Amino acid sequence: MTQQITIYTDGSSRGNPGPGGYGAVLMYGDKRKELSAGYRKTTNNRMELMGVIAALEALKKPGLNITLYTDSQYIVKALNEGWLNKWLATNFAKGKKNKDLWVRFYNLYTHHHIKFVWVKGHADNPFNNRCDVLATTAADGKNLLVDEGYEMDVNNLLL
């Protein structure tokens, strides 16, 4: 029998761009794992994606059945409405953002069976709220990581 994993994710940035962070809660049976990290300069959408990526990278086996809950319409619509397939087919033409993270995500996504479910943010879902706390705490932390994909892209625009 294939294992069923439940994942909640959230991303945050203090300013857009600004310091940011992600949070994720992974659950399997009675086991639970929390993940988070903060970045010195990034965007909200990048952190939303990083929450999903970090959660999927933490999984040790391929072929899992996953229900992933997020308050990001950006992510849910990209998958459920086929935006990502169009972006990939056109190599992210017309300035579509976050190519580095979408490609990284897609390479993980293809190894599992994932159902994406949108949940209302800052509402009464305790797991989404926990992810929000993890993300905002990480964004407000010290020793923030460098979001190289974001900062390299911004630097290229300035050349």
Side-chain angles (χ1 to χ4, degrees), residues 25-155:
V25 176
L26 295 81
M27 294 175 282
Y28 171 65
D30 63 350
K31 296 178 182 166
R32 180 171 153 176
K33 182 174 187 168
E34 294 184 348
L35 306 170
S36 65
Y39 293 80
R40 70 182 185 186
K41 190 169 187 181
T42 190
T43 67
N44 187 63
N45 281 343
R46 289 185 66 81
M47 290 299 95
E48 295 283 3
L49 269 167
M50 276 304 303
V52 173
I53 289 167
L56 295 178
E57 286 179 344
L59 301 174
K60 295 184 172 34
K61 297 179 185 177
L64 299 172
N65 286 324
I66 301 166
T67 302
L68 194 145
Y69 297 89
T70 176
D71 61 12
S72 170
Q73 289 280 358
Y74 176 59
I75 291 173
V76 172
K77 289 183 177 182
L79 278 295
N80 292 349
E81 296 184 15
W83 298 356
L84 180 57
N85 290 332
K86 292 175 189 169
W87 298 340
L88 290 166
T90 61
N91 196 26
F92 292 78
K94 299 181 183 174
K96 294 296 178 204
K97 295 181 179 179
N98 306 319
K99 176 182 176 181
D100 62 320
L101 295 183
W102 280 116
V103 169
R104 186 171 163 189
F105 160 79
Y106 187 76
N107 289 329
L108 297 163
Y109 171 74
T110 59
H111 295 287
H112 300 288
H113 310 283
I114 308 174
K115 176 183 174 185
F116 285 83
V117 179
W118 181 79
V119 295
K120 185 176 181 179
H122 310 283
D124 59 357
N125 186 303
F127 297 114
N128 179 259
N129 290 340
R130 178 63 184 150
C131 288
D132 181 66
V133 168
L134 290 168
T136 56
T137 301
D140 293 338
K142 299 201 182 318
N143 301 317
L144 298 175
L145 302 171
V146 175
D147 181 349
E148 293 178 12
Y150 176 78
E151 292 195 25
M152 186 171 67
D153 188 48
V154 168
N155 290 336

